[in-house]
Amino acid sequence: MNQGRSKTGWSGAIFTLFLVTLLSVTVVVEANGVEYTITQGTFSQTITPLEKAESVEDFYDYWDYEAHTDPDIELRNQSLLFLYKNTNTGEVSLVIIHDDGEGTAGDGGVVEFTFSGLPASTDVSVEDDPEDDDYALNTTINWDWPDYRTDGGAFSNIGNQFTISIDPNFIQGMTDWKVATGNINDPTYVSIPDMEAPIEITTGATVPDAPGGLSGTALSTSEIRLNWSDNSDNEDGFRIYRGGTLVSTVGASVTQYTDTGLASDTTYTYEVTAYNANGESGPSNSINVKTDADEQPDSVFSVDTDTWNLLSIPLTPDPNDCPSVIGDDLPAGSTCADITWGSWNGSDFRELTSMSPFEAYWLWAPEAIELGVSGTEPSSKEVTLEDRTGWIMFGTPVAVNWGDVQIKESGGSYQSIKSVDFTAADSPVHYALFEYSPGAEDFLVYQQPGWDSYTLDPWKGYYIYVYGNANTPISLKFEESGGPPTPPTPPTSATQGALLSELEGSNVPAPPPPPKREATLDFFDVTATTSSTGDGSRITFSVAGKWASSAEGLRVKVKDFSGNTLFSSETTGDSLTWTAEGVPNGTYLYVASVKHNGVFGEVDIGKVLILE
């Protein structure tokens, strides 16, 4: 750095460059797990690159007379060596700065360096005093280093696997030779013990640590789900072994895998390893998992696909949680929490934690599902509904005509529901029974007097409306009770619209509709395509995935890595375009949300590369 001062002497710094590892890329991103070690004889020190989110040229600003680096890490009257990492790109550079800022007039330092091991792709990113010095690689680089001056350079594209040797020859003026490591805002300075002996900077890329905590669960007669702990931060992925044979690989940070196509009632042995470009870890713990026996369920029901189903189950399962009842029948990768909601609690749909033949549940089937349940028919066919008024969802364990169901209010006695006078002011329930039709995506309504011969289906769920003047809770008994003769046939679906209008006229609200489904990663994703406009980049975000045609809107936000929003837009269409004029080269984060069923759900997070 000259800053208008004349030079009073000269010294030579000779860089003899020999190729050790040739990398065929222009920008080398440091791999996870790389260790950097500096040695000199018996001296050895592991060092960490000084990191900042800017290029090495911006960090080492030799035109700044007060401080050549920001933050200032120079040491007066010392020679300093360190590695610098641009966290935006991952590029690592080798930097040397010589300073004679505390000398006296005329004692400017003289030094010569001989380098070997720098790859042929190495670039000189910073040439301190380029107007006076020669920085052509593989030739003599002349640094004139007089009193009160600095000199140095930064060498980028050095790769992530190398051994770089530096043979120093401090002819005069230098008293210390240090390495900077650690936090760029508060670096640690380590003295190199010998001012003349050669030193080496080496990388030792490591393989990942072995995963642990491997466990497995049989999902069905042909599927086993594996889970494990990720014990490393430098893996490229994981390899799954069954009986010592590789069956699949998954990406980095993934800790679950479902093995499919297995034989029923069979025990399998599993191990998992982590791997990266440097090799494979040792195996995890070994486990044995047995698939379920091929037993036929006691009752089977086909669920309509790609729509809501209001259903119940006909048997008491053991255990009674959702996975034990329908978990084996869900699409691969789905869980009960993904596609099911519990019954209506009067204001919202409660979380599904258990299942009973007397309850009703909403289930969304993204794929064709045949549900099968095994269990026992409850000995008592009596159920007490919740102690509240309004809409209540229920199911039945047996097929029974609705007119034969018995009903009672709290403190009262049972009577057949067809004998209830629904026109009376003290009628406990409304005169209409509601079933949901997945095909029509609407409610079917059955009312007195035509509902008495309607047969309740044990696999279907129903709504009934309890009046505010009822003595709640209401109890139902799904058993024949005798009584008057069977009334006429219930109305057909063609009359449903009229019945719903009549319902509205009776000041009873319509039944709660199915829960709204947010767009999720299961059904949508968003692609980002970059094209050049001549004066910037044009990024087009487009809705994709199996449900792309049903998207009702798209929302995209783009931010830099400091959290600043660079672009935010929303559309009712399925694509958005961002013309990124004036945005610096680099990688930026976007978050995309898709609107479905009137609700925006976050479906994708990704990165876009801007090239001006």
Side-chain angles (χ1 to χ4, degrees):
M1 169 63 194
N2 289 333
Q3 285 294 324
R5 300 189 181 197
S6 62
K7 298 194 174 186
T8 58
W10 64 272
S11 65
I14 304 172
F15 290 73
T16 307
L17 309 177
F18 299 97
L19 176 64
V20 172
T21 303
L22 178 60
L23 300 179
S24 60
V25 294
T26 303
V27 177
V28 179
V29 178
E30 179 196 9
N32 288 333
V34 175
E35 293 182 350
Y36 301 92
T37 304
I38 183 168
T39 59
Q40 186 187 61
T42 59
F43 168 78
S44 179
Q45 175 73 40
T46 299
I47 61 174
T48 302
L50 308 183
E51 297 184 349
K52 192 176 180 183
E54 65 180 10
S55 67
V56 69
E57 294 93 336
D58 292 337
F59 165 69
Y60 185 169
D61 181 8
Y62 64 88
W63 292 108
D64 184 352
Y65 178 67
E66 296 298 328
H68 295 76
T69 61
D70 183 17
D72 184 10
I73 64 169
E74 300 167 66
L75 297 175
R76 301 287 80 86
N77 205 39
Q78 295 182 3
S79 183
L80 185 64
L81 167 71
F82 59 93
L83 296 176
Y84 174 81
K85 180 179 178 180
N86 178 356
T87 57
N88 285 334
T89 64
E91 179 182 319
V92 176
S93 303
L94 173 63
V95 182
I96 298 177
I97 299 178
H98 311 283
D99 187 278
D100 191 41
E102 295 180 357
T104 57
D107 75 342
V110 179
V111 64
E112 295 177 354
F113 283 98
T114 301
F115 277 66
S116 63
L118 284 169
S121 58
T122 299
D123 298 322
V124 181
S125 298
V126 176
E127 300 179 8
D128 202 339
D129 294 336
E131 70 277 13
D132 298 310
D133 296 339
D134 179 7
Y135 279 84
L137 294 176
N138 297 306
T139 64
T140 299
I141 298 177
N142 296 315
W143 285 348
D144 193 357
W145 185 23
D147 185 36
Y148 292 103
R149 301 292 297 280
T150 64
D151 223 332
F155 309 94
S156 59
N157 295 340
I158 61 175
N160 60 7
Q161 293 190 39
F162 54 75
T163 297
I164 299 174
S165 295
I166 306 175
D167 187 0
N169 179 17
F170 292 98
I171 300 173
Q172 69 179 46
M174 293 310 302
T175 60
D176 204 358
W177 172 226
K178 280 189 169 62
V179 174
T181 180
N183 189 328
I184 195 169
N185 295 307
D186 186 21
T188 298
Y189 297 97
V190 180
S191 293
I192 299 175
D194 192 330
M195 292 291 290
E196 301 297 330
I199 65 172
E200 285 189 348
I201 305 173
T202 60
T203 57
T206 59
V207 299
D209 293 330
L214 179 63
S215 62
T217 303
L219 297 182
S220 67
T221 58
S222 61
E223 295 178 309
I224 289 176
R225 179 170 294 164
L226 304 175
N227 292 275
W228 60 89
S229 299
D230 182 356
N231 293 331
S232 61
D233 60 2
N234 63 332
E235 78 275 355
D236 292 336
F238 297 92
R239 292 172 177 155
I240 295 90
Y241 292 89
R242 184 201 316 133
T245 300
L246 179 66
V247 293
S248 187
T249 60
V250 295
S253 301
V254 176
T255 57
Q256 186 181 93
Y257 172 75
T258 299
D259 196 12
T260 60
L262 307 174
S264 63
D265 200 25
T266 303
T267 299
Y268 294 92
T269 301
Y270 292 95
E271 292 177 335
V272 177
T273 65
Y275 72 91
N276 62 15
N278 305 303
E280 187 172 11
S281 74
S284 67
N285 56 299
S286 178
I287 61 169
N288 296 320
V289 188
K290 188 176 184 179
T291 53
D292 293 338
D294 191 8
E295 298 176 353
Q296 295 301 314
D298 296 322
S299 183
V300 177
F301 179 73
S302 295
V303 177
D304 281 30
T305 183
D306 207 21
T307 188
W308 280 105
N309 293 261
L310 182 57
L311 56 83
S312 180
I313 60 171
L315 302 169
T316 300
D318 186 22
N320 68 347
D321 61 319
C322 173
S324 72
V325 178
I326 63 175
D328 292 353
D329 302 305
L330 299 179
S334 296
T335 67
C336 288
D338 294 329
I339 66 171
T340 60
W341 273 265
S343 57
W344 179 256
N345 66 6
S347 60
D348 203 352
F349 295 97
R350 62 169 59 89
E351 183 180 354
L352 182 63
T353 57
S354 62
M355 301 193 77
S356 159
F358 297 103
E359 292 279 350
Y361 312 96
W362 285 106
L363 182 144
W364 178 276
E367 301 176 14
I369 301 174
E370 189 173 73
L371 295 180
V373 60
S374 295
T376 58
E377 182 179 311
S379 57
S380 172
K381 308 302 188 294
E382 180 180 354
V383 62
T384 298
L385 304 180
E386 297 172 276
D387 186 10
R388 62 177 177 81
T389 60
W391 289 106
I392 294 180
M393 294 166 59
F394 71 91
T396 173
V398 293
V400 60
N401 285 352
W402 179 238
D404 291 329
V405 171
Q406 300 175 58
I407 184 172
K408 74 173 181 178
E409 298 178 68
S410 177
S413 57
Y414 276 112
Q415 60 178 317
S416 64
I417 198 165
K418 62 187 172 186
S419 66
V420 174
D421 182 2
F422 295 101
T423 64
D426 60 350
S427 173
V429 295
H430 187 65
Y431 58 80
L433 174 73
F434 288 79
E435 168 195 339
Y436 187 77
S437 170
E441 294 191 344
D442 203 355
F443 290 99
L444 303 181
V445 188
Y446 302 96
Q447 69 170 24
Q448 279 282 46
W451 68 357
D452 299 303
S453 61
Y454 172 75
T455 301
L456 298 180
D457 186 332
W459 271 103
K460 291 183 179 179
Y462 299 93
Y463 271 113
I464 189 172
Y465 190 86
V466 178
Y467 283 120
N469 59 9
N471 295 320
T472 59
I474 300 292
S475 298
L476 298 177
K477 185 183 291 186
F478 301 98
E479 294 178 346
E480 293 187 11
S481 58
T486 303
T489 305
T492 64
S493 59
T495 66
Q496 301 306 315
L499 293 176
L500 285 173
S501 296
E502 184 178 346
L503 175 69
E504 294 171 0
S506 66
N507 295 321
V508 174
K516 286 186 177 293
R517 283 193 59 80
E518 292 184 356
T520 69
L521 283 170
D522 297 334
F523 311 117
F524 295 95
D525 57 51
V526 174
T527 61
T529 304
T530 302
S531 59
S532 176
T533 64
D535 56 359
S537 292
R538 179 178 289 119
I539 315 298
T540 300
F541 301 93
S542 303
V543 180
K546 62 186 295 184
W547 282 13
S549 61
S550 65
E552 300 167 358
L554 174 63
R555 178 187 295 161
V556 175
K557 288 186 177 181
V558 181
K559 297 185 176 184
D560 60 23
F561 285 88
S562 297
N564 301 312
T565 299
L566 306 180
F567 172 75
S568 179
S569 186
E570 180 180 322
T571 180
T572 57
D574 59 4
S575 66
L576 278 172
T577 298
W578 174 34
T579 301
E581 295 183 5
V583 179
N585 290 1
T587 303
Y588 299 89
L589 181 71
Y590 73 85
V591 179
S593 301
V594 172
K595 192 175 187 180
H596 178 64
N597 278 338
V599 179
F600 271 105
E602 185 177 297
V603 302
D604 225 343
I605 298 176
K607 296 178 181 178
V608 291
L609 178 65
I610 305 300
L611 300 174
E612 287 290 339

